[in-house]
Amino acid sequence: MGMVDAEAIVKELRETYSSGKTKKYEWRVSQLKALLKIAENHEKEIVDALYSDLSKPELESFIHEISMVKTSCKHALKGLKQWMKPEKAKATITSFPSSAEIVPEPLGVVLVISAWNYPFLLSLDPVIGAIAAGNAVVLKPSEIAPATSSVLAKLLGQYIDVTAIRVVEGAVPETTALLEQKWDKIFYTGNGKIGRIVLAAATKHLTPVVLELGGKSPVVVDSNINFKVAVRRIISGKWGCNNGQACVAPDYIITAKDNVPKLLDSMKHELEKFYGKDPLNSGDLSRIVNANHFRRLSNLLDDTKVIDKVVHGGQRDENNLKIAPTILLDVPHDSLIMKEEIFGPLLPIITVNKVEDSIHFINAREKPLAAYLFTSNKKLEEEFVMNISAGGLVINDVTLHVANSSLPFGGVGESGMGSYHGRFSFDTFSHKKAVLRRNFSGDAPQRYPPYTPGKARFLKALLNGDILGLIRALIGW
Amino acid sequence: MTKRLVFLSFQVGVVKKSATNALRCVEKWMAPQKGRMPLVFFPARGAVVSEPLGVVLIFASWNFPISLALDPVIGAISAGNTIVLKLSDLAPKCSSFLVNTIPLYLDPEAIKVVEGGKEVAEQLLQLKWDKIFFTGSPQVGRLIMSAAAKHLTPVTLELGGKCPTIFDTLSNSSDLQVAVKRVAGGKWGSCNGQACIGIDYVLVETQFAPVLIELLKKYIKKFHGENLKTLKNLARIVNKHHFDRVHNLLKDPKVAAAVVYGGSVDEKNMAIEPTILLNPPLDADIMTEEIFGPLLPIITLNNIEESIQFINSRPKPLAIYAFTKNESLKEKILQETSSGSLTFNDAVIQFICDILPFGGVGQSGHGRYHGKYSFDTFSHEKAVLHRSFLIELEPRYPPWNDFKMEFVSLAYDYNYVGLILLLLGLRRIFRTNRRQ
């Protein structure tokens, strides 16, 4: 597919959009229901595709991908009428008499570029928002998860209104062709390098962009906590999320030096309970997505600076693209593993003298997509919430905020811009149009020339909402 | 540039109102907003906490050099950021005033004011900012966005476009008078047409056009003088470059032939008369570029409803104005057009309504501000989820089995009855392991 196809697709979608079809409540509901049907009736196909692409365990496919899409559809179906309603704004004396409201409207024709690690969820979740907001959509799934991309193209082609919603498969050339077109919004999930390319392409048409990127999400572990619960949660957030290949997976741990023995013991113990003595052969761990990423992660481990820092795991199986859950202790801060987002099953533990020092450590680095803290110390909790800037924070757990549709999900700084989930998805794909209704009575002559100091006084008072001042100006005082 | 007393009062008034409002509301805005947690997360607390983005760059424009500089600054301060404010070199006196006055009142360690032109702007854009707020033209908007892309800096672009006015046939004479006055105010009363939300052109039914034109002439003369020599109550064109630009719009012979009132220019004093044109060619620059000057094209249509198609075949404007008493036409315009804002039966006034977001869509920009929207635009809304160590959900953890799958399935559906039944062993597990 080349330039011509992308242009033709966008042209067709624009025509559909101009017809007004996608704005109708009934149309949006029908498409959301169709997506729900896909998630409900084709579970096996989806699970198989995810297994083919990532060796993703069935339960992970179910919890993190299929169920989340279903919940997202249902939430949108439930809230849509309310979300579409104009919001009345309180008119003030400054514009009296008038009525004001904010009316949500679709942006038009939008592009959703998805990622490979949660290829089903990260394709459909933004599309749900785009449809709920009344847009026409092109979805470009990631070519690095080809089985899922293929299933998406097939199933959406069968269930969805293809005059308004299209799946375009392909790799760099196709994505480039799509990015050359004029979109009313681009929603990208992926890494910062490509995020910059997307943003630069959007500049040509002044297209607003949402970038859901990543970063190094730190976990600060305090000492006076329930270690068993904390460690199980950390493990499930790290290795239980696509084997560390998740934008919100804990990237590294920071803890006080004294805390290390207890923490490490607990982790080793729970890891064995979860994945057995031979984790490389555990069916409950995803594999590394491809040889490229396997090499990247191997390089992080083979870095001479960290080679002797492995305290647990480190086993690799290149043929099956598997790396066992690996913990490293006190890697140098300037090592590669501490500079880049790991996106894999390696977990460095950084030690500090006291746990409060972790705040400074985190703030000296780029703002992450998520930051986590395990503590029972309320003061530390408050300091953490007030001083750590990240997309989202979770106290005493990890990653769960992603499943909560009343919280916006998105990054800040290097971890991205914009947010979605729940109503935030609807908002992100909408334009909130300000509408002011005036009538012809009550026209203030003070608005018009010739301008006099008296008129100036009146207008000043009006702008300040100063009723006394208004009266004084009117009676010429 | 010289501004009349009322223009200055207007700008200063906007700033005062904005600051007063922010002072009154900032504590409320800063308070975390609680989020509703589903029962299955129990015990948990969720909130959205607004925090500053960090160090922000604000570009002010030249046409309303006081308010368009300070209004965004108010938002940035209330959201807790440090700020560099880059003033426009096209309004040197106001720029100078702000450079000298701001440090006397605001914390110079947190808020810096910079003067200068293109080179200064380019230098600033090389640096990494946590947000850039730009008011100006789409062309420069692209340069800003392009520079911001390198650092993944989010931007708010308050741009412009051609703000159309749909002028329906009004039969009531006093309504008509008010409407025309408001159109005149929305064109020449707004910095002499040099305003992003100023009326750019008017759409009207062919048979009604003469009435509209006659009334417009009447009010131009009344408000702004009979001719070029006796012009009054008008801001001047900001500089030679813009004077030439606007003048050139008239030089196209087909456009010149469409002038029905005004059209004279005084090159020496950079003055252009308030000018009305009737049906200039739609492909002429005057109808494809934002005019930003005192020329008002009037385009006639057979039927006023055609104005919707006319507007929709052009880039989305910052504002659409519609003068009509026809409720079903209003509804059609509302549903079928897209713009930053839409105002019925007035013009420009939406700018002072703090409760309405002010910003564009499409080519007219993205992002918004005014009132709480200013606070929001300079904030990051951070999601915060608090959990406790009590109540552990075993099914969260591997090794996986059918029971856990069923549990999670029910949990996702918020099917609490099902969950209880499952836990009590009273619910069959319907799932089978598919990989065997």
Side-chain angles (χ1 to χ4, degrees):
Chain A
M1 189 198 102
M3 184 70 157
V4 173
D5 284 351
E7 235 179 286
I9 290 171
V10 173
K11 185 159 174 284
E12 194 195 321
L13 258 51
R14 284 216 178 275
E15 275 162 17
T16 306
Y17 180 74
S18 302
S19 75
K21 175 159 66 157
T22 64
K23 288 186 181 178
K24 296 197 171 65
Y25 172 76
E26 293 74 21
W27 182 87
R28 305 183 202 193
V29 165
S30 73
Q31 299 308 293
L32 291 171
K33 283 187 170 162
L35 287 176
L36 186 56
K37 268 214 186 78
I38 291 176
E40 283 174 343
N41 300 347
H42 294 270
E43 228 177 84
K44 180 166 180 350
E45 262 182 274
I46 298 163
V47 167
D48 287 347
L50 290 167
Y51 187 75
S52 165
D53 285 332
L54 294 152
S55 300
K56 195 170 279 212
E58 188 183 352
L59 195 128
E60 269 192 58
S61 295
F62 187 71
I63 310 178
H64 296 157
E65 303 233 32
I66 298 172
S67 289
M68 291 212 20
V69 167
K70 279 169 37 179
T71 306
S72 197
C73 282
K74 288 182 192 168
H75 188 82
L77 282 162
K78 190 160 154 225
L80 189 58
K81 253 211 175 95
Q82 183 60 32
W83 297 350
M84 284 174 69
K85 274 205 187 112
E87 187 193 319
K88 286 249 175 283
K90 214 175 101 230
T92 60
I93 194 165
T94 321
S95 60
F96 180 83
S98 64
S99 77
E101 56 184 10
I102 298 164
V103 177
E105 56 178 34
L107 289 163
V109 182
V110 306
L111 173 64
V112 172
I113 301 177
S114 175
W116 55 260
N117 56 340
Y118 289 84
F120 186 72
L121 173 68
L122 297 178
S123 296
L124 294 189
D125 210 357
V127 166
I128 288 165
I131 291 173
N135 300 278
V137 191
V138 168
L139 165 65
K140 161 70 188 66
S142 171
E143 68 277 17
I144 298 177
T148 311
S149 172
S150 187
V151 158
L152 281 166
K154 172 169 149 256
L155 293 176
L156 264 72
Q158 276 177 260
Y159 282 80
I160 288 292
D161 179 353
V162 298
T163 66
I165 304 161
R166 302 284 275 274
V167 180
V168 172
E169 293 193 87
V172 172
E174 287 75 15
T175 311
T176 308
L178 286 169
L179 285 172
E180 309 246 300
Q181 309 309 313
K182 174 168 157 36
W183 303 95
D184 297 299
K185 185 122 190 182
I186 299 177
F187 187 105
Y188 168 77
T189 307
N191 67 59
K193 183 161 147 263
I194 309 293
R196 280 170 172 80
I197 295 173
V198 171
L199 201 44
T203 299
K204 199 163 79 169
H205 301 287
L206 288 172
T207 301
V209 172
V210 170
L211 299 177
E212 296 273 332
L213 308 177
K216 294 183 78 60
S217 299
V219 187
V220 177
V221 180
D222 199 2
S223 43
N224 191 13
I225 56 169
N226 182 331
F227 271 89
K228 179 169 172 206
V229 171
V231 160
R232 281 151 66 99
R233 290 176 179 180
I234 293 172
I235 294 175
S236 76
K238 176 74 171 185
W239 295 284
C241 283
N242 213 20
N243 206 8
Q245 299 165 105
C247 52
V248 287
D251 188 277
Y252 65 98
I253 288 181
I254 312 179
T255 194
K257 289 187 175 17
D258 300 338
N259 217 17
V260 172
K262 201 163 174 203
L263 177 60
L264 209 45
D265 262 344
S266 203
M267 291 198 75
K268 290 180 182 182
H269 178 75
E270 295 298 332
L271 273 170
E272 193 176 309
K273 271 176 70 185
F274 282 17
Y275 304 116
K277 286 195 187 330
D278 181 19
L280 278 182
N281 289 315
S282 166
D284 291 334
L285 281 171
S286 297
R287 68 158 203 266
I288 306 306
V289 67
N290 61 21
N292 211 11
H293 280 273
F294 185 92
R295 255 191 310 275
R296 180 182 63 78
L297 289 163
S298 289
N299 285 340
L300 293 182
L301 278 179
D302 294 338
D303 180 0
T304 45
K305 286 187 184 160
V306 313
I307 217 158
D308 56 342
K309 306 287 184 201
V310 175
V311 294
H312 181 86
Q315 306 93 314
R316 301 172 235 183
D317 172 0
E318 192 160 357
N319 289 331
N320 292 309
L321 294 177
K322 294 232 171 153
I323 299 179
T326 302
I327 304 176
L328 305 94
L329 181 58
D330 276 330
V331 297
H333 299 174
D334 63 349
S335 55
L336 212 52
I337 203 173
M338 281 310 292
K339 287 218 203 112
E340 299 177 359
E341 184 175 3
I342 295 167
F343 226 70
L346 320 177
L347 182 66
I349 299 179
I350 301 289
T351 58
V352 288
N353 289 328
K354 51 185 193 341
V355 76
E356 287 79 6
D357 295 342
S358 58
I359 293 184
H360 175 77
F361 185 94
I362 297 169
N363 281 345
R365 287 157 174 75
E366 297 293 354
K367 297 177 187 180
L369 187 54
Y372 307 112
L373 169 66
F374 285 87
T375 188
S376 52
N377 178 345
K378 287 282 165 221
K379 191 160 163 286
L380 179 64
E381 196 182 303
E382 211 179 286
E383 247 191 81
F384 188 81
V385 171
M386 285 299 117
N387 293 318
I388 299 281
S389 183
L393 303 179
V394 186
I395 310 296
N396 295 332
D397 211 326
V398 298
T399 72
L400 226 55
H401 60 306
V402 171
N404 190 309
S405 52
S406 68
L407 293 174
F409 178 69
V412 63
E414 282 291 314
S415 53
M417 53 179 82
S419 63
Y420 73 130
H421 284 184
R423 191 185 181 145
F424 301 100
S425 293
F426 176 88
D427 290 345
T428 226
F429 286 104
S430 297
H431 166 55
K432 301 286 183 86
K433 182 163 72 180
V435 180
L436 185 64
R437 294 168 200 270
R438 295 260 293 152
N439 61 42
F440 295 107
S441 55
D443 193 39
Q446 292 82 356
R447 284 172 67 166
Y448 307 111
Y451 301 125
T452 62
K455 286 186 178 179
R457 271 201 297 280
F458 178 91
L459 287 173
K460 248 187 169 151
L462 192 66
L463 280 166
N464 282 333
D466 174 9
I467 305 203
L468 274 174
L470 266 177
I471 296 174
R472 282 211 300 273
L474 277 170
I475 62 181
W477 189 4
Chain B
M1 66 192 296
T2 54
K3 278 275 198 191
R4 290 290 181 188
L5 180 65
V6 164
F7 291 139
L8 189 60
S9 288
F10 178 78
Q11 286 196 72
V12 167
V14 160
V15 171
K16 266 178 81 171
K17 184 168 78 68
S18 202
T20 311
N21 189 40
L23 279 166
R24 210 180 51 223
C25 300
V26 71
E27 207 171 334
K28 191 171 72 172
W29 295 345
M30 284 172 68
Q33 295 160 51
K34 302 246 178 291
R36 251 191 70 228
M37 294 292 111
L39 194 56
V40 87
F41 280 78
F42 183 84
R45 269 183 302 128
V48 177
V49 174
S50 289
E51 57 177 28
L53 287 164
V55 184
V56 307
L57 174 61
I58 296 173
F59 284 97
S61 166
W62 53 260
N63 53 344
F64 292 87
I66 306 288
S67 56
L68 293 181
L70 296 183
D71 213 355
V73 165
I74 289 167
I77 291 174
S78 55
N81 300 278
T82 55
I83 302 160
V84 169
L85 170 63
K86 158 72 181 67
L87 301 168
S88 170
D89 55 342
L90 298 190
K93 290 242 166 59
C94 287
S95 171
S96 193
F97 164 76
L98 287 171
V99 156
N100 292 323
T101 315
I102 288 177
L104 298 177
Y105 291 84
L106 296 180
D107 181 351
E109 288 184 0
I111 300 154
K112 302 245 182 247
V113 188
V114 174
E115 288 187 283
K118 194 164 149 245
E119 304 72 31
V120 171
E122 279 167 4
Q123 274 187 297
L124 288 169
L125 287 170
Q126 304 288 341
L127 306 169
K128 177 170 155 53
W129 304 93
D130 297 301
K131 177 110 190 189
I132 300 178
F133 185 103
F134 171 77
T135 305
S137 74
Q139 298 87 290
V140 180
R142 281 185 179 81
L143 297 171
I144 305 281
M145 203 173 152
S146 184
K150 294 197 196 76
H151 298 289
L152 290 175
T153 301
V155 300
T156 292
L157 300 176
E158 297 274 336
L159 308 177
K162 294 179 78 60
C163 297
T165 300
I166 300 171
F167 203 99
D168 195 8
T169 304
L170 294 168
S171 44
N172 178 311
S173 167
S174 81
D175 288 350
L176 182 56
Q177 303 288 327
V178 170
V180 175
K181 283 203 285 190
R182 288 176 179 179
V183 169
K187 179 69 169 188
W188 299 285
S190 305
C191 203
N192 203 7
Q194 299 165 109
C196 52
I197 44 167
I199 291 177
D200 190 279
Y201 64 97
V202 174
L203 297 160
V204 69
E205 277 182 4
T206 312
Q207 55 263 42
F208 197 59
V211 174
L212 174 59
I213 293 172
E214 279 318 296
L215 273 173
L216 277 170
K217 287 182 192 174
K218 167 181 156 194
Y219 283 109
I220 290 172
K221 288 178 187 163
K222 184 171 173 204
F223 294 159
H224 305 295
E226 294 280 332
N227 55 48
L228 195 58
K229 290 196 173 42
T230 57
L231 278 186
K232 56 181 177 172
N233 301 321
L234 277 176
R236 59 151 219 270
I237 308 299
V238 67
N239 63 13
K240 179 107 187 22
H241 164 77
H242 281 278
F243 172 84
D244 288 339
R245 181 186 61 76
V246 178
H247 188 195
N248 284 339
L249 296 176
L250 286 176
K251 285 184 178 163
D252 178 340
K254 292 206 186 99
V255 172
V259 173
V260 295
Y261 179 83
S264 312
V265 310
D266 173 355
E267 282 212 48
K268 184 157 155 276
N269 294 312
M270 294 198 298
I272 299 178
E273 255 196 293
T275 300
I276 306 172
L277 303 94
L278 181 60
N279 287 323
L282 296 180
D283 59 354
D285 284 349
I286 200 175
M287 281 309 295
T288 57
E289 291 178 10
E290 186 175 3
I291 296 169
F292 229 68
L295 319 178
L296 181 68
I298 295 183
I299 307 294
T300 61
L301 307 162
N302 290 326
N303 184 320
I304 198 65
E305 301 207 347
E306 291 166 23
S307 55
I308 291 173
Q309 222 279 39
F310 188 97
I311 293 170
N312 284 347
S313 59
R314 288 162 173 75
K316 294 177 187 180
L318 188 52
I320 292 177
Y321 303 111
F323 289 85
T324 179
K325 291 182 93 159
N326 181 339
E327 291 304 321
S328 87
L329 177 64
K330 282 186 193 174
E331 194 55 27
K332 229 172 163 276
I333 295 169
L334 175 60
Q335 295 302 335
E336 296 179 25
T337 63
S338 181
S339 51
S341 67
L342 171 60
T343 302
F344 292 112
N345 298 329
D346 212 329
V348 175
I349 199 169
Q350 74 277 17
F351 187 82
I352 54 175
C353 292
D354 261 1
I355 34 98
L356 286 174
F358 182 78
V361 63
Q363 298 293 301
S364 50
H366 50 260
R368 56 205 187 157
Y369 73 129
H370 283 186
K372 180 167 195 281
Y373 301 103
S374 293
F375 175 89
D376 290 343
T377 227
F378 287 102
S379 296
H380 165 55
E381 295 188 326
K382 182 168 70 184
V384 182
L385 179 62
H386 295 255
R387 293 259 296 154
S388 101
F389 291 105
L390 300 170
I391 305 188
E392 254 301 76
L393 282 182
E394 277 302 318
R396 275 178 76 170
Y397 309 115
W400 307 125
N401 57 41
D402 289 339
F403 171 86
K404 290 184 179 181
M405 282 278 283
E406 186 72 10
F407 186 99
V408 169
S409 166
L410 294 166
Y412 260 98
D413 273 343
Y414 304 138
N415 182 346
Y416 300 110
V417 172
L419 274 172
I420 293 171
L421 290 175
L422 178 72
L423 287 167
L424 291 175
L426 297 172
R427 186 186 159 102
R428 267 186 54 212
I429 294 163
F430 292 97
R431 225 159 274 295
T432 53
N433 191 336
R434 271 167 282 264
R435 273 223 303 291
Q436 271 146 10

